[in-house]
Amino acid sequence: MNDGNVVFRIATRADLPSIVRMLTDDELGSQREKYADPLPESYYAAFEQIEHDSNHELIVAELNGDVIGTLHLMFLPSISFLGGLRAQVESVRVDKACQGQGIGSDLMSWAIERAKARGAHVVQLTTHKSREDAHRFYERLGFKGSHLGMKLILE
Amino acid sequence: MNDGNVVFRIATRADLPSIVRMLTDDELGSQREKYADPLPESYYAAFEQIEHDSNHELIVAELNGDVIGTLHLMFLPSISFLGGLRAQVESVRVDKACQGQGIGSDLMSWAIERAKARGAHVVQLTTHKSREDAHRFYERLGFKGSHLGMKLILE
């Protein structure tokens, strides 16, 4: 398991190349991301929106100065559930070289604690139906696969 | 089908009781909402957060002065998909007395056009696995059930 030297923190602009590298290094991600130097400007534009919105937290896991994990935690005000705040997690990745050490689990647990501290009543996420390892990973953290996640791709 | 007299617009504070009534009048919603006069203050607190956040639009359908449908459209900045903007829909309801007239379909189509105009690359949503009618409804609008939606309920 994670030996305790991993630090979890809010991402800075300087972390963005490492984050995009991890998003790209993935069967589905490789079809839709572009990890290049310099990074496409659209990544920086999105980062600035996230950085300036208190309902969004782009999070990284760092080990010995290297960014080795990431997730995007968002807080969604909602009328449903008595006006309850939802937390949502997107774009969870751990560097392939560091998988199997419990870092993803610790990263998610850290995010779940932040969601609790903020007063969210639920943490929600979707994973592609093909990611069966991910389903088991989230089930071990207590998530239930109660919903169908549907997407409409726009032109 | 919808006879064309239905108006779609951003909700005001005065619409909130009608919105909560529709959220409550539902098999799952009846277990978690409270439609009362006065409405619990937590609904108004959530409404104010939504109203003041340009990434959130609480939408209603109105017919002859009555609110008969609602959905919550949100825009989620994201690093993934080249920093692409996601649109997400939550809490879709049509008044039971007005179902089967195409109002839900028109309401969703209106929201999808707003998502396109904003530059979103996808509209995403989750529906409970038990809502099979809803799955077919969204499939007719072009949505694909590609994902598993997972939730962790917090204490």
Side-chain angles (χ1 to χ4, degrees):
Chain A
M1 302 306 285
N2 167 14
D3 63 6
N5 291 325
V6 178
V7 174
F8 304 104
R9 60 171 174 78
I10 303 294
T12 68
R13 185 180 168 93
D15 298 318
L16 203 49
S18 297
I19 293 168
V20 173
R21 181 181 55 76
M22 288 186 286
L23 293 177
T24 308
D25 187 21
D26 171 274
E27 191 177 345
L28 296 173
S30 61
Q31 299 164 33
R32 59 200 190 199
E33 307 301 341
K34 187 175 179 190
Y35 176 56
D37 183 12
L39 218 52
E41 182 53 36
S42 57
Y43 286 119
Y44 288 105
F47 178 80
E48 279 169 27
Q49 286 186 58
I50 290 167
E51 188 177 37
H52 290 106
D53 190 329
S54 61
N55 280 330
H56 287 263
E57 297 187 346
L58 187 63
I59 294 171
V60 291
E62 183 180 321
L63 176 64
N64 301 328
D66 293 324
V67 170
I68 57 160
T70 184
L71 65 74
H72 182 172
L73 176 64
M74 45 188 83
F75 296 101
L76 308 176
S78 178
I79 300 299
S80 63
F81 287 85
L82 300 166
L85 184 70
R86 294 165 186 258
Q88 182 164 305
V89 171
E90 301 258 2
S91 303
V92 183
R93 295 289 187 284
V94 172
D95 193 313
K96 281 186 176 166
C98 301
Q99 288 180 4
Q101 302 172 43
I103 292 165
S105 176
D106 289 352
L107 173 61
M108 277 297 297
S109 298
W110 193 81
I112 290 164
E113 289 307 311
R114 286 185 81 82
K116 283 184 187 168
R118 183 85 168 239
H121 67 91
V122 64
V123 182
Q124 61 187 27
L125 57 84
T126 71
T127 68
H128 198 276
K129 281 181 173 173
S130 68
R131 297 192 195 266
E132 292 182 11
D133 286 355
H135 306 168
R136 285 189 290 270
F137 169 76
Y138 292 119
E139 282 166 1
R140 284 195 297 272
L141 288 164
F143 285 80
K144 308 278 189 206
S146 54
H147 283 62
L148 178 66
M150 306 187 79
K151 308 234 178 200
L152 174 69
I153 307 302
L154 303 178
E155 297 310 311
Chain B
M1 303 307 283
N2 166 15
D3 64 4
N5 292 326
V6 178
V7 174
F8 305 104
R9 59 171 174 78
I10 303 294
T12 68
R13 186 179 166 96
D15 297 319
L16 203 48
S18 298
I19 292 168
V20 173
R21 182 181 55 76
M22 287 185 287
L23 293 177
T24 309
D25 186 21
D26 172 273
E27 190 178 345
L28 297 172
S30 62
Q31 301 164 33
R32 60 200 191 200
E33 307 301 341
K34 187 175 179 191
Y35 175 57
D37 183 11
L39 216 52
E41 182 54 35
S42 58
Y43 286 120
Y44 288 105
F47 179 80
E48 279 169 27
Q49 285 187 60
I50 290 167
E51 188 178 34
H52 290 106
D53 190 329
S54 62
N55 280 330
H56 288 263
E57 296 186 345
L58 187 63
I59 294 170
V60 290
E62 183 181 321
L63 177 65
N64 302 328
D66 294 324
V67 170
I68 56 160
T70 184
L71 64 76
H72 182 171
L73 176 63
M74 45 188 83
F75 296 101
L76 308 176
S78 178
I79 300 299
S80 64
F81 287 85
L82 300 166
L85 185 69
R86 294 165 187 258
Q88 182 164 307
V89 171
E90 301 258 2
S91 302
V92 182
R93 295 291 186 282
V94 172
D95 192 312
K96 281 185 176 166
C98 302
Q99 288 180 5
Q101 302 171 42
I103 293 165
S105 176
D106 289 352
L107 173 61
M108 278 296 298
S109 297
W110 194 81
I112 290 164
E113 289 306 311
R114 285 185 82 83
K116 282 184 187 167
R118 183 85 168 237
H121 67 91
V122 65
V123 182
Q124 61 187 26
L125 56 85
T126 70
T127 67
H128 198 275
K129 281 180 173 175
S130 68
R131 296 193 195 267
E132 292 183 11
D133 287 355
H135 304 167
R136 285 188 290 269
F137 169 76
Y138 292 119
E139 282 167 359
R140 285 195 295 272
L141 288 164
F143 285 79
K144 308 279 187 206
S146 54
H147 283 61
L148 179 65
M150 306 188 79
K151 310 236 178 201
L152 174 69
I153 307 302
L154 304 179
E155 296 312 311

